[in-house]
Amino acid sequence: MIDQFAGGNIELSNLQENFSFAGVSCGLKLSGKKDLGAIFCKKKALTFAVFTQNSVAAAPVKISKKRLNKNKFIRAILVNSGNANAATGIDGFNDAIEISKNFSDLIGIEEDEVLLASTGIIGVRLDKSKIISKIPALVDRLTLNNHLDFKESIMTTDRFEKEYFETISSKECGGIYIRAYAKGCGMICPNLATMLVFITSNINADEKILKEMFINCVNKSFNAISVDGDTSTNDSVFFMTDMSCPENTINNREDNLIIEFEKALNRCCIKLANDMVRDGEGSTKILEVRAIGFANEENAKKVASNIAKSTLVKCAFFGSDPNWGRILCAAGNTNLIDEDSVSIKIFDTEVYNKRPINFDKESLSKKISDNERVIIEIYNNSGDKSFTFYGCDLTFDYVKLNSEYST
Amino acid sequence: MIDQFAGGNIELSNLQENFSFAGVSCGLKLSGKKDLGAIFCKKKALTFAVFTQNSVAAAPVKISKKRLNKNKFIRAILVNSGNANAATGIDGFNDAIEISKNFSDLIGIEEDEVLLASTGIIGVRLDKSKIISKIPALVDRLTLNNHLDFKESIMTTDRFEKEYFETISSKECGGIYIRAYAKGCGMICPNLATMLVFITSNINADEKILKEMFINCVNKSFNAISVDGDTSTNDSVFFMTDMSCPENTINNREDNLIIEFEKALNRCCIKLANDMVRDGEGSTKILEVRAIGFANEENAKKVASNIAKSTLVKCAFFGSDPNWGRILCAAGNTNLIDEDSVSIKIFDTEVYNKRPINFDKESLSKKISDNERVIIEIYNNSGDKSFTFYGCDLTFDYVKLNSEYST
């Protein structure tokens, strides 16, 4: 039923996508690489978004939030990399408004039908004239096929592109699709900000159902990862659908297509979130931490995230050290576990069970060393709720990347 | 009036100290260095302590807590380094009880007049026979002068000894003194735990006044530092006084001697806490972060500690980068500041004031590079409360020390 990336049994030629993409270079990046991108929808697209919880939010975040509060039917998103337009005060805010106006006027849509996103250096005003001069070229290039350019234009120091495409067959409309592009979560270079995700689709379902699915998927993916425990000024995740498929709105949460779609959306978000962690600054390993058997999901999340974020745990796994003492200690810092009732596994090896137990340390260390993804499980006995949190190891390269002088 | 370290205008020969100290090697440390220490008081000593908030608490912490709840007049503390006796289950608990009993029996005091502290590897049962066989030698060596041996016996991988001595002249008793020894806060080697502080004095004042002073001083020092954001299984701070000076209990909070004593205790705690940060794993700089102008101290503390604990801030200062964007971003993560109303200083240089401002980056970077202590100030406009939090930079050596395989 589901075909990731390729299309498989769905005739992709029948698939109707109303979104178009573009990416150009406007000169914000000194390298001359693409740094200005846009997504445009032929129709009004139902749009949800979540933004950074940092009170220091960049101008584009403030503007997008405000617009989405007034208007959930959006036509376009304008993105730049190379400059985050964060901590730039009222001047930066006005710059963003002017750029947005220029873009919406040229396309011929309302001002508040445009959302904005920026990523790059913090605290430096962006050169709006560079952006404005390239908006006509950008708008000219808007086609579905130019998603490759878009993908490039949102990157900063990401080591690889992060994308997702999946289709779900449906009797009508040539299939339901999820298409997504993301840029990395690590605040990789000095003053660089951060996580941007753009998901487009044609799913047609009740707004409340869609919003709930979106929030759920975000919480289990983009809100369940950490490279260094810091959230940035610019983090934004957008979901847009033109609601063209199926032809009649699905109002039933239990509808098969909705269930399939939610699974697919979840796969999409988990995949992109994992890509971000894998691309975290200098990281060599993903730490997948599963907290199992808690009274509620919130507690499970606190325990899993405290383990994944502990610098001591992160360093230990960089050194391929199956250091359960640090895992237990990090979990204990939440005050939500009792050492006399928990057990800990690294991959399939039990390393602690209510008290220290013997295990083959050398062989487990070798397994950690041989794998890019390390599975850490902590079992509690206070309920049936679980949460998986994704982190990465802490390496020499992280310190190197983040301590190099910013100019 | 106050004479730190030396005694100055106080005739130290007149100073009466009823505490004695000892330290021996019992073989827990493979190096053969001293690893078993004791403090003993000729009289019952009024004792306060604070312990780790980690729910995974070591056996000695559990036992000391329990005893102090029953009995605040303590005679002795027995300490070992080389093994934390943490996450060792009921066996570890029983080991500690047996060791303690052996010690109290030999000295001839009650079992619950002894407190315990351990530091070293987590999750490995300690060899109690090694400790028990050396207790007679330890007890034999108890004199005031053997504080040098005690100081050595509590260290693990500390790079330097941490101590404090100060006297306050008083008309009677030859002066009031504060004597303190500490071991470092960084969880420096794999599985090593952590912060131990022992403060002795002869101050005689109302219990409530003394306890309040102790808690206040701890909150502004040992609870206001972080090397890597992790608290250990063994953190303990002890304060003991034989209440011999002055001869009459001071019941007045505003008494001059009490005010002088509180200032001195505060200096003692700040000094030792700073020594711990300075000795943090691989650190090259202390970050002294002052959050100023908040509605309450708790908010100020959250902002200051979030800045001091941010790995991005820590890396930036390792690289001598006056990166105010990361400082602002870390502060914003608390949701307690508004970028449009705060200003930030690094040393005396204003680097942000409601919006980015120009400053001489090269010269400020040089100043950071030239100083072991970096002063970071964030000014808010919502009240008159402030808090200072101490952190350190994050260096290659931190990662190296913490990623080396534990065996």
Side-chain angles (χ1 to χ4, degrees):
Chain A
M1 178 93 173
I2 288 151
D3 305 280
Q4 280 177 249
F5 305 106
N9 61 351
I10 293 178
E11 279 286 337
L12 274 181
S13 56
N14 292 334
L15 192 67
Q16 181 70 41
E17 293 190 61
N18 286 316
F19 289 91
S20 54
F21 300 84
V24 297
S25 165
C26 73
L28 290 177
K29 282 180 185 162
L30 294 178
S31 62
K33 285 185 180 165
K34 294 191 178 66
D35 47 15
L36 185 65
I39 301 177
F40 174 70
C41 189
K42 281 185 210 163
K43 307 165 59 182
K44 286 175 188 281
L46 176 67
T47 303
F48 308 119
V50 289
F51 299 101
T52 180
Q53 288 166 28
N54 195 313
S55 68
V56 179
V61 169
K62 288 177 182 164
I63 293 167
S64 295
K65 262 188 183 172
K66 214 169 142 188
R67 290 183 177 171
L68 266 179
N69 279 339
K70 282 202 302 192
N71 172 33
K72 62 198 165 201
F73 290 98
I74 297 297
R75 295 292 302 278
I77 307 180
L78 182 66
V79 199
N80 74 272
S81 55
N83 188 314
N85 200 1
T88 45
I90 184 66
D91 301 327
F93 188 86
N94 290 334
D95 292 341
I97 293 282
E98 189 180 335
I99 290 163
S100 171
K101 181 86 175 64
N102 206 285
F103 177 73
S104 58
D105 280 357
L106 195 70
I107 301 196
I109 57 178
E110 296 298 317
E111 205 174 338
D112 63 3
E113 288 179 319
V114 177
L115 302 184
L116 300 173
S118 299
T119 175
I121 194 161
I122 294 178
V124 175
R125 276 188 74 181
L126 49 66
D127 188 341
K128 65 184 169 192
S129 64
K130 284 183 177 169
I131 293 182
I132 289 169
S133 73
K134 283 291 183 180
I135 283 177
L138 184 76
V139 169
D140 273 351
R141 294 185 60 78
L142 282 164
T143 72
L144 176 57
N145 283 338
N146 280 341
H147 63 83
L148 297 171
D149 292 345
F150 175 77
K151 202 163 59 179
E152 233 186 279
S153 73
I154 63 174
M155 291 170 78
T156 52
T157 45
D158 299 56
R159 286 181 290 185
F160 55 88
E161 294 174 346
K162 292 154 198 78
E163 61 186 319
Y164 192 87
F165 184 72
E166 174 168 346
T167 57
I168 301 160
S169 44
S170 74
K171 285 169 204 147
E172 34 187 2
C173 344
I176 293 173
Y177 70 90
I178 293 174
R179 178 186 289 282
Y181 302 104
K183 81 157 293 296
C185 146
M187 295 181 74
I188 303 171
C189 273
N191 287 333
L192 279 190
T194 283
M195 178 205 292
L196 297 181
V197 184
F198 307 90
I199 306 169
T200 59
S201 181
N202 56 349
I203 181 85
N204 185 10
D206 175 72
E207 263 180 57
K208 276 190 193 160
I209 293 179
L210 285 177
K211 188 165 189 177
E212 186 190 305
M213 288 196 311
F214 172 64
I215 300 292
N216 281 349
C217 288
V218 167
N219 283 340
K220 293 193 172 164
S221 56
F222 306 113
N223 280 336
I225 57 173
S226 170
V227 169
D228 52 23
D230 273 305
T231 67
S232 101
T233 49
N234 291 57
D235 294 344
S236 308
V237 182
F238 301 93
F239 174 86
M240 304 177 87
T241 174
D242 66 12
M243 302 190 82
S244 59
C245 187
E247 276 164 27
N248 298 309
T249 308
I250 304 171
N251 291 306
N252 178 6
R253 190 76 180 79
E254 307 304 316
D255 183 278
N256 251 344
L257 213 52
I258 277 296
I259 290 170
E260 291 295 345
F261 182 79
E262 180 162 20
K263 283 183 193 163
L265 188 61
N266 201 46
R267 275 192 294 275
C268 166
C269 293
I270 292 278
K271 196 262 184 195
L272 293 177
N274 269 265
D275 278 355
M276 287 178 188
V277 173
R278 194 153 59 91
D279 203 5
E281 301 114 341
S283 80
T284 65
K285 283 182 195 312
I286 295 184
L287 308 180
E288 181 170 333
V289 184
R290 303 172 185 161
I292 297 158
F294 286 80
N296 57 59
E297 212 174 86
E298 196 192 342
N299 287 1
K301 183 172 184 173
K302 271 188 200 156
V303 169
S305 73
N306 231 50
I307 294 169
K309 287 178 181 175
S310 157
T311 56
L312 289 168
V313 170
K314 288 155 79 78
C315 283
F317 283 100
F318 173 52
S320 296
D321 178 6
N323 196 317
W324 62 264
R326 290 186 186 178
I327 296 169
L328 187 65
C329 187
N333 269 321
T334 62
N335 279 312
L336 294 169
I337 63 119
D338 173 2
E339 72 201 83
D340 298 327
S341 71
V342 298
S343 62
I344 297 171
K345 269 188 185 175
I346 299 173
F347 293 113
D348 292 328
T349 305
E350 194 166 56
V351 291
Y352 180 84
N353 192 338
K354 300 183 181 66
R355 62 176 76 185
I357 54 179
N358 283 325
F359 63 93
D360 183 345
K361 209 166 177 179
E362 292 303 326
S363 118
L364 185 52
S365 172
K366 186 167 181 318
K367 187 159 183 188
I368 294 166
S369 168
D370 290 346
N371 280 277
E372 204 201 20
R373 177 181 298 264
V374 181
I375 312 293
I376 301 162
E377 291 178 326
I378 180 159
Y379 293 84
N380 201 29
N381 288 312
S382 55
D384 62 355
K385 296 296 181 219
S386 301
F387 199 92
T388 302
F389 199 97
Y390 305 88
C392 60
D393 56 349
L394 177 57
T395 70
F396 294 123
D397 281 350
Y398 176 91
V399 178
K400 187 164 186 299
L401 283 160
N402 282 296
S403 64
E404 277 167 354
Y405 192 60
S406 57
T407 50
Chain B
M1 181 97 173
I2 289 149
D3 305 279
Q4 280 176 253
F5 305 106
N9 60 351
I10 293 177
E11 278 287 337
L12 275 180
S13 55
N14 292 335
L15 192 68
Q16 181 70 41
E17 293 192 61
N18 285 316
F19 289 93
S20 54
F21 300 84
V24 297
S25 164
C26 73
L28 289 177
K29 283 181 186 162
L30 294 178
S31 62
K33 285 185 180 166
K34 295 191 176 65
D35 47 15
L36 184 63
I39 301 177
F40 173 71
C41 188
K42 282 184 211 164
K43 305 164 63 182
K44 286 175 189 278
L46 176 67
T47 303
F48 308 119
V50 291
F51 299 101
T52 181
Q53 288 165 29
N54 195 313
S55 68
V56 179
V61 169
K62 288 177 183 166
I63 293 167
S64 295
K65 262 188 184 171
K66 215 169 140 188
R67 289 181 178 173
L68 265 180
N69 279 340
K70 282 203 302 190
N71 172 33
K72 62 197 165 201
F73 291 98
I74 298 297
R75 295 293 301 279
I77 307 179
L78 183 67
V79 198
N80 76 272
S81 55
N83 189 314
N85 200 0
T88 45
I90 184 66
D91 302 326
F93 188 87
N94 290 336
D95 292 340
I97 293 284
E98 189 179 336
I99 290 164
S100 171
K101 181 89 174 66
N102 207 285
F103 177 74
S104 58
D105 281 355
L106 195 69
I107 301 197
I109 57 178
E110 296 299 316
E111 206 174 338
D112 64 3
E113 288 179 317
V114 177
L115 301 185
L116 300 172
S118 299
T119 176
I121 195 161
I122 294 178
V124 175
R125 275 189 74 182
L126 49 67
D127 187 340
K128 64 184 170 194
S129 64
K130 284 183 179 172
I131 293 182
I132 288 169
S133 73
K134 284 291 181 179
I135 283 178
L138 184 75
V139 170
D140 273 350
R141 294 184 60 77
L142 281 165
T143 71
L144 176 57
N145 282 338
N146 280 340
H147 63 83
L148 297 170
D149 292 346
F150 175 76
K151 201 162 61 179
E152 232 186 281
S153 73
I154 62 174
M155 291 171 77
T156 53
T157 46
D158 299 56
R159 287 181 291 183
F160 54 88
E161 295 175 345
K162 293 156 197 76
E163 61 186 319
Y164 192 87
F165 184 72
E166 174 169 346
T167 56
I168 300 161
S169 45
S170 74
K171 284 170 204 145
E172 33 187 4
C173 343
I176 292 172
Y177 71 90
I178 293 174
R179 177 187 290 283
Y181 302 105
K183 81 155 296 293
C185 147
M187 295 182 73
I188 303 170
C189 273
N191 288 331
L192 280 191
T194 286
M195 177 206 289
L196 297 180
V197 184
F198 308 90
I199 306 169
T200 58
S201 180
N202 57 348
I203 181 84
N204 185 11
D206 175 72
E207 262 181 60
K208 276 190 191 158
I209 293 179
L210 285 177
K211 188 165 190 177
E212 186 191 303
M213 289 195 311
F214 173 64
I215 300 292
N216 279 350
C217 289
V218 166
N219 283 340
K220 294 194 172 167
S221 56
F222 306 113
N223 280 336
I225 57 174
S226 171
V227 169
D228 53 23
D230 274 305
T231 67
S232 100
T233 50
N234 292 57
D235 294 344
S236 308
V237 181
F238 301 94
F239 173 86
M240 305 178 87
T241 175
D242 65 14
M243 301 190 85
S244 60
C245 186
E247 277 165 26
N248 298 309
T249 309
I250 304 172
N251 290 307
N252 177 7
R253 190 76 179 80
E254 305 305 316
D255 183 279
N256 251 343
L257 213 53
I258 277 295
I259 290 172
E260 291 295 343
F261 183 79
E262 180 162 20
K263 284 183 193 164
L265 187 61
N266 201 46
R267 274 192 295 275
C268 167
C269 293
I270 292 277
K271 191 293 187 167
L272 293 176
N274 269 266
D275 278 354
M276 287 177 187
V277 173
R278 193 153 60 91
D279 202 6
E281 300 113 343
S283 80
T284 65
K285 282 181 197 314
I286 295 184
L287 308 181
E288 181 170 333
V289 184
R290 304 172 185 161
I292 297 159
F294 286 79
N296 56 60
E297 211 175 85
E298 195 193 342
N299 287 2
K301 182 172 183 173
K302 272 189 198 153
V303 169
S305 73
N306 232 51
I307 294 169
K309 287 177 180 174
S310 158
T311 57
L312 290 169
V313 170
K314 286 155 79 77
C315 284
F317 283 100
F318 174 50
S320 298
D321 178 4
N323 196 316
W324 61 264
R326 291 186 185 176
I327 296 169
L328 188 66
C329 186
N333 270 322
T334 61
N335 279 312
L336 294 170
I337 62 120
D338 173 2
E339 73 202 83
D340 298 326
S341 71
V342 298
S343 62
I344 297 171
K345 270 187 184 175
I346 299 174
F347 293 112
D348 291 327
T349 305
E350 195 168 54
V351 292
Y352 181 84
N353 192 339
K354 300 184 181 66
R355 63 177 75 186
I357 54 179
N358 283 325
F359 62 93
D360 183 345
K361 210 168 177 179
E362 292 304 326
S363 117
L364 185 52
S365 172
K366 187 167 180 318
K367 186 158 182 187
I368 295 166
S369 167
D370 290 348
N371 279 277
E372 203 200 21
R373 177 182 298 262
V374 182
I375 312 293
I376 300 163
E377 291 178 326
I378 181 160
Y379 293 84
N380 201 29
N381 289 312
S382 56
D384 62 354
K385 297 296 183 219
S386 302
F387 199 91
T388 301
F389 200 96
Y390 305 87
C392 59
D393 57 349
L394 177 58
T395 69
F396 294 123
D397 280 351
Y398 177 92
V399 177
K400 187 166 186 297
L401 282 160
N402 282 296
S403 63
E404 278 167 353
Y405 192 61
S406 59
T407 50

